[in-house]
Amino acid sequence: MLDFAQKILLVDDDPDILELLEYNLSREGFQIKVAENGLKGVQTAQDFLPDMILMDIMMPVMDGIEAGRIIKQDPILKNAYLIFLTARSEEYSEVAAFEIGANDYINKPVKPRALISRIKAVFQRSATENDTDDKVILEDLTINRQNYTIAIKEDSWTLPKKEFDLLMFFVSNPNRVYTRDEILLNVWDRGIHVTERTVDVHIRKIREKIGQDYIRTIKGVGYLFSRN
């Protein structure tokens, strides 16, 4: 299966910080986008759909706390990790950051090597939790890894293995748009010939059970799973 690079958005009004972090994180294989203020950060996040956002607090146009609040209230972006990198050490700034849903608060100056280790640990912990949990609960949807069953409200089904594999692929990779080719390469065995239409049929069958809200069609691109 393909190993897609995690996407990280860097938001800071200091071009030197952006350049330093972009260089070091890109070398580690992460996919990077940058923004120079909070408003641009929100707009870029809505387009880029990052797995993690590293954001300064004191910025022009819109500060990091307000930008972070908007991001965490967005149903498509709310599950992205939000880490503040800031020179502000006041307790009230840290409290404000965590109150809006920040995952971490790191004081500048930033040490790239230590930051990279911290980022990798976050992603690794998330992957381990996804691999070991028998049940995944998303709002009114419950997915049981042990017996291939799903339940929504008062209804339950046992899914065919490929439908279940497809659903779990989406659940493990939320808030990211995948083309049909990428889905085929990740869910179906390479030695088996299937067409893009196969993806559409399986998604239609899953939607018949869980509804239309979780798996969104992005016209001209593919599909995106949103953890409501």
Side-chain angles (χ1 to χ4, degrees), residues 72-117:
K72 281 299 184 178
Q73 290 175 347
D74 188 317
I76 303 300
L77 297 171
K78 66 180 182 180
N79 291 309
Y81 294 102
L82 175 60
I83 298 177
F84 283 104
L85 306 178
T86 178
R88 302 198 63 162
S89 58
E90 305 95 341
E91 184 179 2
Y92 68 83
S93 294
E94 186 170 353
V95 170
F98 285 115
E99 282 183 344
I100 66 162
N103 299 96
D104 206 348
Y105 189 97
I106 301 174
N107 290 115
K108 293 178 179 177
V110 177
K111 299 177 180 178
R113 188 172 301 178
L115 178 62
I116 289 169
S117 296

Side-chain angles (χ1 to χ4, degrees), residues 81 124-134 136 145:
Y81 294 102
Q124 182 60 46
R125 183 168 62 251
S126 175
T128 300
E129 290 172 354
N130 286 337
D131 289 341
T132 57
D133 288 346
D134 290 333
V136 178
R145 297 172 184 267

Side-chain angles (χ1 to χ4, degrees), residues 11 36-42 55-68 70:
V11 187
E36 65 276 8
N37 61 63
L39 179 59
K40 184 67 174 179
V42 172
M55 190 179 313
D56 189 19
I57 289 183
M58 293 297 294
M59 293 183 292
V61 185
M62 179 184 291
D63 66 57
I65 297 296
E66 181 60 24
I70 294 172

Side-chain angles (χ1 to χ4, degrees), residues 128-160:
T128 300
E129 290 172 354
N130 286 337
D131 289 341
T132 57
D133 288 346
D134 290 333
K135 288 186 178 180
V136 178
I137 300 175
L138 308 172
E139 295 290 333
D140 55 358
L141 174 63
T142 300
I143 305 169
N144 192 316
R145 297 172 184 267
Q146 288 190 325
N147 57 17
Y148 290 77
T149 62
I150 64 171
I152 188 164
K153 297 181 180 177
E154 297 179 359
D155 298 317
S156 63
W157 300 267
T158 299
L159 296 186

Side-chain angles (χ1 to χ4, degrees), residues 167-186:
L167 178 59
M168 287 310 305
F169 169 74
F170 278 123
V171 169
S172 300
N173 298 277
N175 303 329
R176 296 172 67 174
V177 180
Y178 286 94
T179 66
R180 291 169 177 83
D181 280 339
E182 290 172 337
I183 294 170
L184 286 172
L185 286 169
N186 277 270

